Amino acid sequence: MTVNEPSEPNQGTVTGERADWLDLLAHNRHFVRFTTRDLTDEQAAQRTTASELCLGGLVKHVTEVERNWVGFILNGPSGMGDFGSMTEAQVEAYAQGFRMLPGESLAGILAEYEKVAARTDELISTLPDLGVSWPLPKAPWFEEDASWSARRVLMHIAAETAQHAGHADIIRESLDGAKSMG
């Protein structure tokens, strides 16, 4: 079973809860993107802390997180993949989602993020019911037999994006002293 695709985008102004979700996500996404301002591809790929993270990799990660969770809203657990039985190749592909790989550009990564964000925003504006709920996929980090509504998923996307905006700010400050806030 799948959730119906959203209807045509709302021609009027989005208000209420949906407007709040759109504003919150736009705010959090801004800070993720802002940390990459004026950087070269080489700088965006540079690790500046003890972690494996780089700014380009963080943008790739939040893009993939948002894409996968929108897939979950629309198609349930099958929209995210099977985390319980990942092969070594799948684990490595997941790890590469945190890095800028040869041939990737910051501009390309940011363009993909914009595309995914636009799809999420359209979904928020047009999904018939934000209460639609699915069981979470099997994964060691999810509560067993739990279900999340579209609303709960949006909360998770917003929290994840905000958390990684903070990580990005630390990486950027370590890179060249620039700060996103303060």
Side-chain angles (χ1 to χ4, degrees):
M1 174 171 120
T2 61
V3 173
N4 291 334
E5 285 287 332
S7 60
E8 287 299 309
N10 190 349
Q11 297 302 317
T13 303
V14 176
T15 61
E17 176 187 12
R18 292 170 192 264
D20 291 343
W21 284 120
L22 293 170
D23 287 345
L24 177 61
L25 287 169
H27 178 80
N28 291 347
R29 291 178 191 133
H30 163 76
F31 282 110
V32 169
R33 288 188 314 270
F34 189 64
T35 60
T36 67
R37 70 197 178 282
D38 304 322
L39 293 181
T40 65
D41 292 341
E42 292 75 25
Q43 289 171 311
Q46 187 177 343
R47 291 178 42 214
T48 63
T49 66
S51 86
E52 294 288 324
L53 299 174
C54 66
L55 290 170
L58 272 174
V59 176
K60 282 176 57 175
H61 175 66
V62 294
T63 301
E64 192 61 22
V65 164
E66 196 164 317
R67 178 186 292 119
N68 285 341
W69 281 111
V70 165
F72 176 82
I73 290 171
L74 292 171
N75 301 306
S78 67
M80 295 187 79
D82 182 8
F83 298 109
S85 59
M86 290 175 70
T87 66
E88 276 188 51
Q90 289 169 315
V91 170
E92 178 55 29
Y94 178 78
Q96 288 181 4
F98 290 91
R99 301 181 204 119
M100 274 186 69
L101 303 175
E104 291 182 324
S105 70
L106 180 57
I109 290 169
L110 289 169
E112 184 64 18
Y113 189 34
E114 289 299 318
K115 189 169 81 173
V116 168
R119 181 172 184 236
T120 303
D121 290 352
E122 180 181 344
L123 179 67
I124 291 167
S125 298
T126 62
L127 189 68
D129 179 10
L130 293 178
V132 64
S133 185
W134 295 97
L136 290 172
K138 301 286 185 227
W141 49 86
F142 290 137
E143 180 183 346
E144 196 169 322
D145 299 323
S147 292
W148 279 10
S149 68
R151 188 175 285 107
R152 176 65 181 90
V153 169
L154 295 174
M155 192 181 326
H156 181 74
I157 292 169
E160 180 104 358
T161 305
Q163 177 181 16
H164 288 310
H167 294 149
D169 197 38
I170 291 167
I171 292 169
R172 178 63 191 259
E173 188 173 359
S174 298
L175 179 67
D176 63 4
K179 298 178 185 180
S180 298
M181 297 177 232

